[in-house]
Amino acid sequence: MADKFFMTKEGLDAAKKQLDYLTRVKRAEIVERIQEARSHGDLSENAEYDAARNEQAANEGEIAELEYKIRNAEIIEENDDKSLVHIGSVVTVYDEDLEEETVYTIMGTTEADAMRGIISNESPVGVALLHHKKGDVVSVKAPDGEYKLKILKIS
């Protein structure tokens, strides 16, 4: 895992809220399900018990990951500099191969949501765009090959 996780203040607050839910609410619900499944007898053939234990393991893994990210969070300060792409920038790019414009918001990994156009600073597109200026053509090294994007606007 990375040493630092870039987040907005809102992203950090959301991560803390999610951690609180997982530790106080979901953990207790899972323990209840495990106790209920135990009461049904033989654990060796108890699918309910196995499912609850698997859910417990997944929940504990998610808790550990969130705790690590929160502990290593670096808050992204508001930055009005529109001359270069940085974390927090909204960037409009043009892909000549697809002949289309796309708008990306560059954020840290914890706040990335590709379906909403919010990409990680560690993603191939994020890495390619960072520290470039309007008018630059950047090369994106993607798993399925390399392609170019022209930076049209930084806001």
Side-chain angles (χ1 to χ4, degrees):
M1 287 191 192
D3 292 330
K4 292 183 182 178
F5 294 90
F6 296 98
M7 297 183 198
T8 60
K9 173 77 170 94
E10 295 80 20
L12 180 60
D13 290 343
K16 287 178 178 178
K17 185 176 178 181
Q18 177 68 6
L19 178 63
D20 184 60
Y21 167 76
L22 293 175
T23 56
R24 294 170 20 101
V25 178
K26 191 168 182 180
R27 186 183 269 165
E29 290 172 353
I30 294 169
V31 167
E32 274 183 42
R33 281 199 291 281
I34 290 171
Q35 290 172 341
E36 174 67 26
R38 274 190 182 143
S39 72
H40 296 153
D42 185 10
L43 298 181
S44 65
E45 295 181 18
N46 189 332
E48 245 182 271
Y49 177 77
D50 290 341
R53 292 293 297 192
N54 288 339
E55 185 178 2
Q56 182 181 42
N59 189 58
E60 294 304 317
E62 194 172 347
I63 287 169
E65 183 178 344
L66 270 172
E67 286 174 337
Y68 183 81
K69 287 179 178 180
I70 290 168
R71 197 170 42 251
N72 294 292
E74 186 166 311
I75 301 298
I76 301 166
E77 298 297 326
E78 294 258 344
N79 190 337
D80 291 336
D81 180 13
K82 309 289 188 244
S83 64
L84 289 176
V85 177
H86 52 81
I87 296 174
S89 292
V90 177
V91 186
T92 304
V93 298
Y94 181 73
D95 184 329
E96 288 184 18
D97 293 340
L98 299 176
E99 296 181 350
E100 67 181 19
E101 284 186 20
T102 307
V103 177
Y104 295 112
T105 302
I106 313 292
M107 299 301 277
T109 57
T110 56
E111 294 178 80
D113 183 351
M115 298 303 290
R116 293 187 5 213
I118 303 171
I119 61 171
S120 163
N121 61 307
E122 297 176 14
S123 70
V125 174
V127 168
L129 292 174
L130 282 174
H131 311 295
H132 284 88
K133 61 184 186 289
K134 179 180 174 183
D136 285 355
V137 175
V138 299
S139 182
V140 179
K141 292 174 177 66
D144 58 346
E146 195 171 301
Y147 62 97
K148 298 197 182 304
L149 297 174
K150 182 174 183 178
I151 300 173
L152 301 178
K153 181 180 173 187
I154 302 169
S155 53

